[in-house]
Amino acid sequence: MRELELLAPARNADIGIAAIDCGADAVYIAAPKFGARQAAGNSIEDIAGLCSYAHRFGARIFVTLNTILYENELEEAQQLMYAVQEAGADAIIVQDPAVIKLAGLHNGSSRLKIPLHASTQCAIRTPEKARFLESLGFSRLILERELSLEQIRAISSSVDCEIEFFVHGALCVCYSGQCYLSEKISERSANRGACIQACRSRYDLVDDNGKIIVRNKALLSLKDYNLKARLSDLTEAGVSSFKIEGRLKNASYVKNVVRDYSLALDEIIANSGGNLRRASFGKVSGGFTPDTDKTFNRGYTELFIDGKRGKWASMDAAKSMGEELGTVYGLSRDKSCFTIRPVKDGIRLNNGDGLSFVSKGSEITGVRADVCNGLTIKCKSTPSLYEGARIYRNLNIAFEKEIETRPCRRLIGVEICLSTQRLADGAIRLTVRAKSEDGREVSLDIPAGNEIADNRERMRSLLTAQLGKTSGHYDFHLKDISNPECLPVMPASAINSIRRMIADNLDTQPCNARALYNSPDSREIIPEDQGNTLKDKTIDYKANIANTMSESLYRAYGAQIKERAYELTHRSGTELMRTKYCIRYELGICPKFHGKKSGPLYLVNNGRRLTLNFDCGNCEMSVTGQEP
């Protein structure tokens, strides 16, 4: 039976706990250093607390160590790996191949007993790259987002690794791990967790004569990923872990998206005929009704999942626009009152909702709905508002309140069987056997006095009611009573005490986690001298080599190191990013698809000019810096 995992982001331990409560099977979170989001570090103590909570449900915690490492950081990184393992982490997400050496996987001396996952920063988009990373000892591969189902299927069928794939959240325009635009502009490296998100900036698109073709648009900004409707397709293609992006997002975002995707996975599993199951335990009950349209988004796209191009850009909305409500009409002269002509029925507004629109100057402008009367809104005077403006809601006060005041609860199911026995001295012994859904068992023999209940049905009902409640994070159900003619008279307090004893006994046993994950000891690591898995033997800056340990590993596999990481060279004219996204296609001027011709094109921002290059054979666009 295949297990499917919903993998949630967590900026901190509290958000990680909330994600687990809402149905996540695993959570990824940063340690104090070396995570690809510098602003999302966490203490070892907090990680240990999160691991303890997750393991109650057989859920996993993955720690990100996915920046490139400099020479003077290797020892610290190694000690951090051991520390997160000691804290209870279940895997480490890695970009720098030096970690393989630090883990000692190739010499059999590893103190690291938890798996290593190859980060999406490793730019995994071919079967050859996947096989090479598998040969290094990675047990899981986190693929590029720009892949099609066909490409995912080709990769998953070529390796024995687990396959993880992003299904929701922000999209980098560049192939992961190979964007150097932030470093070029600001000396803040994306591969060091310090990206300035230059792809969300506004640019002018100009031709070779300096003519402005598009003015002041976020020309490199993509919509957000949403593959909820494609989870079945991804499962069939070999994906076992479905990853939500968002380690900088707030708690309400994570709760909403996790709950939405968890329900979608549950439906797929329910329709699988017993062939699929979740990778952790526990049933989520109660809580809010999720709706990803009501949380942070730049509009949604399925990107290249069908192997076809589409309109992927969010040129006007590099920030969250939110849920589209309709258009403005009846705007007052002072622009402090207007009515919305809705795009659909059933839209309800709340005092304090946050609204947004794109001004005629292409700026995203926010406005607070101070007083709402149906679809008529009073607000502060907003000079840039105009008749016909498309209005969005990026803060739904009622929905946020629902998420906050109606938390989800996750409980492990436990079945109880009772049997009674009348002893020779007339005493009644109650034998309680309980089994949790993950297979833990408890057996208790409890003295129950010597008085048999006159009304056995009433006693049975009381036992069923009192034992069928919750204790701790367990949800109990009385399955069977053997020898009911000897049911003893028991007060509700005594029955409740039995339930609590079962919970306490279960807590002494670790939850039986699913066997989805491979330990390092169970994997066959290909020796370095058989390094025929490395297809491209010439290594350039895109390998992001920044230390001698990584360099020696590549050389052991027969590679020639042409140059180290671009961050160490700062050369002009170097390719700063390569992407499946194409501005010419987006604007309808693609020679291949639209039959249009265009000369050289450039992006201009604050006097800085970037050159656009078009590889029509591979249907890719690249960006290079200004020549010296």
Side-chain angles (χ1 to χ4, degrees):
M1 183 182 294
R2 281 186 65 192
E3 283 105 13
L4 303 183
E5 172 190 275
L6 180 60
L7 177 56
R11 185 176 63 197
N12 56 46
D14 288 341
I15 293 176
I17 289 171
I20 291 164
D21 287 344
C22 289
D25 300 294
V27 168
Y28 64 106
I29 188 170
K33 293 187 69 174
F34 309 127
R37 300 289 187 277
Q38 280 187 355
N42 293 273
S43 70
I44 297 298
E45 292 75 18
D46 283 350
I47 290 173
L50 177 58
C51 290
S52 177
Y53 187 84
H55 294 166
R56 296 180 185 180
F57 305 96
R60 278 19 186 251
I61 301 301
F62 307 147
V63 174
T64 58
L65 199 156
N66 57 340
T67 66
I68 61 171
L69 301 170
Y70 292 149
E71 201 74 36
N72 62 346
E73 296 171 330
L74 295 176
E75 183 177 351
E76 185 180 6
Q78 185 179 50
Q79 295 307 313
L80 185 59
M81 291 160 57
Y82 297 148
V84 298
Q85 175 177 257
E86 184 67 23
D90 299 283
I92 298 175
I93 301 172
V94 176
Q95 176 185 186
D96 198 312
V99 175
I100 293 289
K101 289 278 192 178
L102 294 173
L105 293 185
H106 283 265
N107 58 27
S109 62
S110 177
R111 278 175 51 195
L112 195 74
K113 302 302 180 184
I114 57 177
L116 297 178
H117 296 175
S119 171
T120 187
Q121 298 296 107
C122 294
I124 311 165
R125 55 184 185 271
T126 65
E128 293 79 15
K129 183 67 173 288
R131 285 193 291 269
F132 171 64
L133 291 169
E134 180 184 34
S135 76
L136 294 181
F138 288 108
S139 66
R140 176 181 292 196
L141 308 179
I142 307 169
L143 306 187
E144 286 273 17
R145 296 165 173 87
E146 293 84 357
L147 300 180
S148 67
L149 285 169
E150 183 179 351
Q151 290 171 308
I152 295 169
R153 192 177 293 110
I155 291 172
S156 67
S157 63
S158 70
V159 295
D160 292 327
C161 295
E162 299 152 9
I163 300 297
E164 179 178 309
F165 195 72
F166 280 92
V167 294
H168 193 95
L171 285 166
C172 293
V173 66
C174 178
Y175 289 130
S176 298
Q178 297 185 340
C179 183
Y180 310 97
L181 184 57
S182 176
E183 170 68 19
K184 177 69 175 179
I185 292 172
S186 67
E187 297 188 358
R188 287 177 53 184
S189 169
N191 284 309
R192 297 280 293 167
C195 180
I196 64 169
Q197 294 192 319
C199 57
R200 305 296 182 189
S201 297
R202 291 181 172 271
Y203 298 89
D204 293 336
L205 180 67
V206 302
D207 65 15
D208 213 23
N209 297 317
K211 178 183 176 181
I212 297 178
I213 300 170
V214 177
R215 186 185 298 274
N216 195 32
K217 297 279 189 179
L219 290 164
L220 294 175
S221 178
L222 299 189
K223 297 175 183 176
D224 288 354
Y225 222 6
N226 187 325
L227 293 181
K228 190 179 78 168
R230 311 306 299 271
L231 298 180
S232 289
D233 295 330
L234 289 167
T235 300
E236 186 276 330
V239 175
S240 59
S241 179
F242 305 92
K243 188 171 193 173
I244 298 167
E245 182 276 338
R247 278 196 293 127
L248 296 179
K249 296 293 197 300
N250 62 22
S252 67
Y253 175 92
V254 173
K255 290 177 185 178
N256 186 27
V257 178
V258 168
R259 190 77 191 106
D260 200 30
Y261 276 77
S262 182
L263 290 170
L265 274 184
D266 285 345
E267 185 175 352
I268 290 171
I269 288 169
N271 295 326
S272 71
N275 295 316
L276 301 172
R277 64 184 179 187
R278 293 295 290 268
S280 63
F281 299 96
K283 182 178 180 180
V284 178
S285 61
F288 58 94
T289 301
D291 186 344
T292 52
D293 286 337
K294 293 179 180 177
T295 199
F296 185 104
N297 70 85
R298 302 175 178 88
Y300 289 123
T301 177
E302 293 186 348
L303 206 63
F304 198 60
I305 200 68
D306 286 316
K308 299 177 182 178
R309 290 198 167 274
K311 295 293 185 178
W312 301 340
S314 60
M315 294 183 184
D316 292 320
K319 300 177 182 178
S320 173
M321 294 295 288
E323 175 188 17
E324 184 177 358
L325 300 179
T327 54
V328 170
Y329 77 95
L331 180 63
S332 65
R333 178 172 292 185
D334 66 354
K335 299 190 176 183
S336 67
C337 183
F338 62 94
T339 302
I340 292 178
R341 183 175 286 110
V343 294
K344 61 183 178 181
D345 295 334
I347 290 176
R348 295 184 179 180
L349 301 175
N350 318 288
N351 295 345
D353 279 354
L355 309 179
S356 63
F357 65 95
V358 179
S359 71
K360 290 184 177 179
S362 297
E363 296 290 337
I364 299 175
T365 303
V367 56
R368 184 179 184 272
D370 293 327
V371 180
C372 300
N373 184 8
L375 294 179
T376 298
I377 297 166
K378 291 183 179 180
C379 60
K380 290 182 179 180
S381 178
T382 308
S384 56
L385 193 60
Y386 59 95
E387 287 275 346
R390 301 177 77 85
I391 288 286
Y392 300 80
R393 175 166 52 190
N394 54 21
L395 177 62
N396 186 321
I397 291 293
F399 184 65
E400 293 296 321
K401 185 176 181 180
E402 183 185 5
I403 291 176
E404 183 179 354
T405 59
R406 295 181 58 193
C408 296
R409 190 178 186 191
R410 183 169 179 169
L411 299 168
I412 297 283
V414 181
E415 289 189 339
I416 300 174
C417 293
L418 299 181
S419 63
T420 61
Q421 183 180 7
R422 189 79 181 226
L423 303 179
D425 62 0
I428 301 171
R429 181 170 65 190
L430 189 66
T431 299
V432 182
R433 290 184 174 85
K435 185 174 182 178
S436 65
E437 64 176 273
D438 60 294
R440 286 171 288 168
E441 296 185 7
V442 172
S443 181
L444 302 171
D445 287 326
I446 300 171
N450 55 16
E451 183 181 357
I452 294 177
D454 292 331
N455 190 333
R456 290 198 296 269
E457 285 305 314
R458 182 181 178 187
M459 196 65 236
R460 177 191 284 270
S461 295
L462 183 61
L463 284 163
T464 300
Q466 298 306 118
L467 289 178
K469 294 183 177 181
T470 63
S471 284
H473 56 282
Y474 301 106
D475 184 19
F476 293 96
H477 169 68
L478 181 57
K479 180 182 179 182
D480 182 57
I481 299 178
S482 301
N483 198 21
E485 60 272 12
C486 289
L487 279 180
V489 174
M490 297 182 71
S493 60
I495 302 172
N496 292 338
S497 178
I498 293 172
R499 190 181 69 247
R500 287 191 292 269
M501 281 192 289
I502 298 172
D504 290 343
N505 274 268
L506 287 171
D507 281 342
T508 65
Q509 307 174 47
C511 183
N512 292 312
R514 304 283 201 201
L516 176 65
Y517 306 88
N518 299 319
S519 69
D521 294 338
S522 69
R523 298 196 304 273
E524 180 182 356
I525 298 170
I526 298 175
E528 294 172 346
D529 59 4
Q530 296 179 22
N532 55 5
T533 56
L534 182 60
K535 180 181 179 182
D536 190 351
K537 301 290 186 179
T538 302
I539 302 299
D540 63 11
Y541 66 93
K542 289 185 180 180
N544 294 324
I545 297 173
N547 57 72
T548 55
M549 195 170 286
S550 293
E551 185 173 335
S552 67
L553 186 144
Y554 274 106
R555 291 190 188 282
Y557 277 81
Q560 297 180 350
I561 310 300
K562 181 180 178 182
E563 52 205 353
R564 279 190 167 203
Y566 173 67
E567 284 88 339
L568 304 181
T569 60
H570 298 283
R571 295 171 306 174
S572 296
T574 300
E575 183 176 289
L576 301 175
M577 65 164 62
R578 178 169 287 270
T579 174
K580 202 69 181 172
Y581 166 75
C582 178
I583 287 177
R584 290 201 302 194
Y585 180 87
E586 197 75 23
L587 297 177
I589 56 174
C590 170
K592 183 176 180 179
F593 288 94
H594 306 120
K596 301 293 180 68
K597 294 183 179 180
S598 68
L601 295 175
Y602 308 90
L603 298 177
V604 177
N605 175 288
N606 290 328
R608 180 181 289 105
R609 191 170 80 160
L610 303 170
T611 302
L612 297 180
N613 310 283
F614 302 96
D615 181 353
C616 294
N618 292 310
C619 216
E620 294 176 330
M621 181 183 77
S622 65
V623 179
T624 57
Q626 191 172 16
E627 296 288 347

Coordinates of all heavy atoms in Angstrom, one line a residue, residues 69-71 73-75 77-78 81 96-104 528 545-556 561 564:
L69 N 27.4 26.1 1.3 CA 28.3 26.2 2.5 C 29.7 26.7 2.1 O 30.3 26.2 1.2 CB 28.4 24.9 3.3 CG 27.1 24.3 3.8 CD1 27.3 22.9 4.3 CD2 26.4 25.2 4.8
Y70 N 30.2 27.7 2.9 CA 31.5 28.1 2.7 C 32.5 27.3 3.5 O 32.1 26.6 4.5 CB 31.7 29.6 3.0 CG 30.9 30.5 2.0 CD1 30.4 31.7 2.4 CD2 30.8 30.1 0.6 CE1 29.7 32.5 1.5 CE2 30.1 30.9 -0.3 CZ 29.6 32.1 0.1 OH 28.9 32.9 -0.8
E71 N 33.8 27.4 3.2 CA 34.8 26.5 3.8 C 34.7 26.6 5.4 O 34.8 25.6 6.1 CB 36.2 26.9 3.3 CG 37.2 25.8 3.5 CD 37.0 24.7 2.5 OE1 36.6 24.9 1.3 OE2 37.2 23.5 2.9
E73 N 32.4 27.1 7.3 CA 31.1 26.8 7.9 C 30.9 25.3 8.0 O 29.9 24.8 8.6 CB 30.0 27.4 7.1 CG 30.0 28.9 7.1 CD 28.9 29.5 6.1 OE1 28.7 28.8 5.0 OE2 28.4 30.6 6.3
L74 N 31.8 24.5 7.4 CA 31.6 23.0 7.3 C 31.5 22.4 8.7 O 30.5 21.6 8.9 CB 32.7 22.4 6.5 CG 32.7 22.8 5.0 CD1 33.9 22.2 4.3 CD2 31.4 22.5 4.3
E75 N 32.4 22.7 9.6 CA 32.3 22.0 10.9 C 31.1 22.4 11.6 O 30.4 21.6 12.3 CB 33.6 22.4 11.7 CG 33.6 21.7 13.0 CD 34.9 22.0 13.8 OE1 35.8 22.6 13.2 OE2 35.0 21.6 15.0
A77 N 28.2 23.3 10.3 CA 27.1 22.6 9.7 C 27.0 21.2 10.1 O 25.9 20.7 10.4 CB 27.2 22.7 8.2
Q78 N 28.1 20.5 10.3 CA 28.1 19.1 10.7 C 27.6 19.0 12.1 O 26.7 18.1 12.4 CB 29.5 18.6 10.6 CG 29.6 17.1 11.0 CD 31.0 16.5 10.9 OE1 31.9 17.1 11.4 NE2 31.2 15.4 10.1
M81 N 23.9 19.4 12.1 CA 23.2 18.1 11.7 C 23.0 17.2 12.8 O 21.9 16.6 13.0 CB 24.0 17.5 10.6 CG 24.0 18.3 9.3 SD 25.3 17.8 8.2 CE 25.1 16.0 8.0
D96 N 23.9 21.6 -0.6 CA 25.3 21.5 -0.8 C 25.8 20.0 -0.7 O 25.5 19.4 0.3 CB 26.1 22.3 0.2 CG 27.5 22.6 -0.2 OD1 28.2 21.6 -0.6 OD2 27.9 23.7 -0.1
P97 N 26.4 19.5 -1.7 CA 26.8 18.0 -1.7 C 27.9 17.8 -0.6 O 28.2 16.6 -0.3 CB 27.4 17.8 -3.1 CG 27.7 19.1 -3.7 CD 26.7 20.1 -3.1
A98 N 28.5 18.8 -0.1 CA 29.4 18.6 1.0 C 28.8 17.9 2.2 O 29.5 17.2 3.0 CB 30.0 20.0 1.5
V99 N 27.5 18.1 2.3 CA 26.8 17.5 3.5 C 26.9 16.0 3.4 O 26.9 15.3 4.4 CB 25.3 17.9 3.5 CG1 24.5 17.2 4.6 CG2 25.2 19.4 3.8
I100 N 26.9 15.4 2.2 CA 27.1 14.0 2.0 C 28.4 13.5 2.6 O 28.5 12.5 3.3 CB 27.1 13.6 0.5 CG1 25.7 13.9 -0.1 CG2 27.5 12.2 0.3 CD1 24.6 12.9 0.3
K101 N 29.4 14.3 2.4 CA 30.7 14.0 3.0 C 30.7 14.2 4.5 O 31.2 13.4 5.3 CB 31.8 14.9 2.4 CG 32.2 14.6 1.0 CD 33.2 13.5 0.9 CE 33.8 13.4 -0.5 NZ 34.8 12.3 -0.5
L102 N 30.0 15.3 4.9 CA 29.9 15.5 6.4 C 29.2 14.4 7.1 O 29.5 14.1 8.2 CB 29.2 16.9 6.6 CG 30.0 18.1 6.1 CD1 29.1 19.4 6.3 CD2 31.3 18.3 6.9
A103 N 28.2 13.9 6.4 CA 27.4 12.8 7.0 C 28.1 11.5 7.0 O 27.7 10.6 7.7 CB 26.1 12.7 6.2
G104 N 29.2 11.4 6.2 CA 30.0 10.2 6.2 C 29.3 9.0 5.6 O 29.7 7.8 5.8
E528 N 32.3 5.9 -5.3 CA 32.8 7.0 -6.1 C 33.5 6.6 -7.3 O 33.4 7.2 -8.4 CB 33.7 7.9 -5.2 CG 33.0 8.6 -4.1 CD 33.9 9.3 -3.1 OE1 35.1 9.1 -3.2 OE2 33.4 10.1 -2.3
I545 N 29.3 25.2 -6.3 CA 30.4 24.7 -5.4 C 31.1 25.9 -4.7 O 31.6 26.8 -5.4 CB 31.4 23.9 -6.3 CG1 30.8 22.7 -6.9 CG2 32.6 23.5 -5.4 CD1 31.7 22.0 -7.9
A546 N 31.1 25.8 -3.4 CA 31.7 26.9 -2.6 C 32.7 26.4 -1.6 O 33.1 27.2 -0.7 CB 30.6 27.7 -2.0
N547 N 33.1 25.1 -1.6 CA 34.0 24.6 -0.6 C 34.8 23.4 -1.2 O 34.3 22.8 -2.2 CB 33.3 24.2 0.7 CG 32.2 23.2 0.4 OD1 32.5 22.0 0.1 ND2 30.9 23.6 0.5
T548 N 35.9 23.1 -0.7 CA 36.7 22.1 -1.2 C 36.1 20.7 -1.1 O 36.4 19.8 -1.8 CB 38.1 22.1 -0.5 OG1 37.9 22.0 0.9 CG2 38.9 23.4 -0.9
M549 N 35.3 20.5 -0.1 CA 34.6 19.2 0.1 C 33.7 18.9 -1.0 O 33.7 17.7 -1.5 CB 33.9 19.2 1.5 CG 33.6 17.8 2.0 SD 33.0 17.8 3.7 CE 34.5 18.0 4.6
S550 N 32.9 19.9 -1.4 CA 32.0 19.6 -2.6 C 32.8 19.4 -3.8 O 32.5 18.5 -4.6 CB 31.1 20.8 -2.8 OG 30.2 21.0 -1.7
E551 N 33.9 20.2 -4.0 CA 34.7 20.0 -5.2 C 35.3 18.6 -5.2 O 35.3 18.0 -6.3 CB 35.8 21.1 -5.1 CG 36.7 21.1 -6.4 CD 37.6 22.3 -6.4 OE1 37.3 23.3 -5.7 OE2 38.7 22.2 -7.0
S552 N 35.8 18.1 -4.1 CA 36.4 16.8 -4.1 C 35.4 15.7 -4.4 O 35.7 14.7 -5.0 CB 37.1 16.5 -2.7 OG 36.1 16.4 -1.7
L553 N 34.2 15.9 -4.0 CA 33.1 14.9 -4.2 C 32.9 14.8 -5.8 O 32.8 13.7 -6.3 CB 31.8 15.2 -3.5 CG 30.7 14.2 -3.6 CD1 29.9 14.1 -2.3 CD2 29.8 14.5 -4.8
Y554 N 32.7 16.0 -6.4 CA 32.5 16.0 -7.8 C 33.7 15.4 -8.6 O 33.5 14.6 -9.5 CB 32.2 17.4 -8.3 CG 30.8 17.8 -8.2 CD1 30.4 18.7 -7.2 CD2 29.8 17.3 -9.1 CE1 29.0 19.1 -7.1 CE2 28.5 17.7 -9.0 CZ 28.1 18.6 -8.0 OH 26.8 19.0 -8.0
R555 N 34.9 15.7 -8.1 CA 36.1 15.2 -8.8 C 36.1 13.7 -8.7 O 36.6 13.0 -9.6 CB 37.3 15.8 -8.2 CG 37.5 17.3 -8.6 CD 38.9 17.8 -8.2 NE 39.0 19.3 -8.4 CZ 39.1 19.9 -9.5 NH1 39.2 19.2 -10.7 NH2 39.3 21.2 -9.6
A556 N 35.7 13.2 -7.5 CA 35.7 11.7 -7.3 C 34.8 11.0 -8.3 O 34.9 9.8 -8.6 CB 35.3 11.4 -5.9
I561 N 36.2 20.5 -12.8 CA 35.6 21.7 -12.2 C 36.1 22.9 -13.0 O 37.2 23.4 -13.0 CB 36.0 21.9 -10.7 CG1 35.7 20.7 -9.9 CG2 35.2 23.1 -10.1 CD1 34.3 20.2 -9.9
R564 N 34.1 27.7 -9.8 CA 33.3 27.6 -8.6 C 32.0 28.4 -8.7 O 31.7 29.0 -9.7 CB 34.1 28.0 -7.4 CG 35.1 26.9 -6.9 CD 35.7 27.3 -5.6 NE 36.3 26.2 -4.9 CZ 36.6 26.2 -3.6 NH1 36.1 27.2 -2.9 NH2 37.2 25.2 -3.1

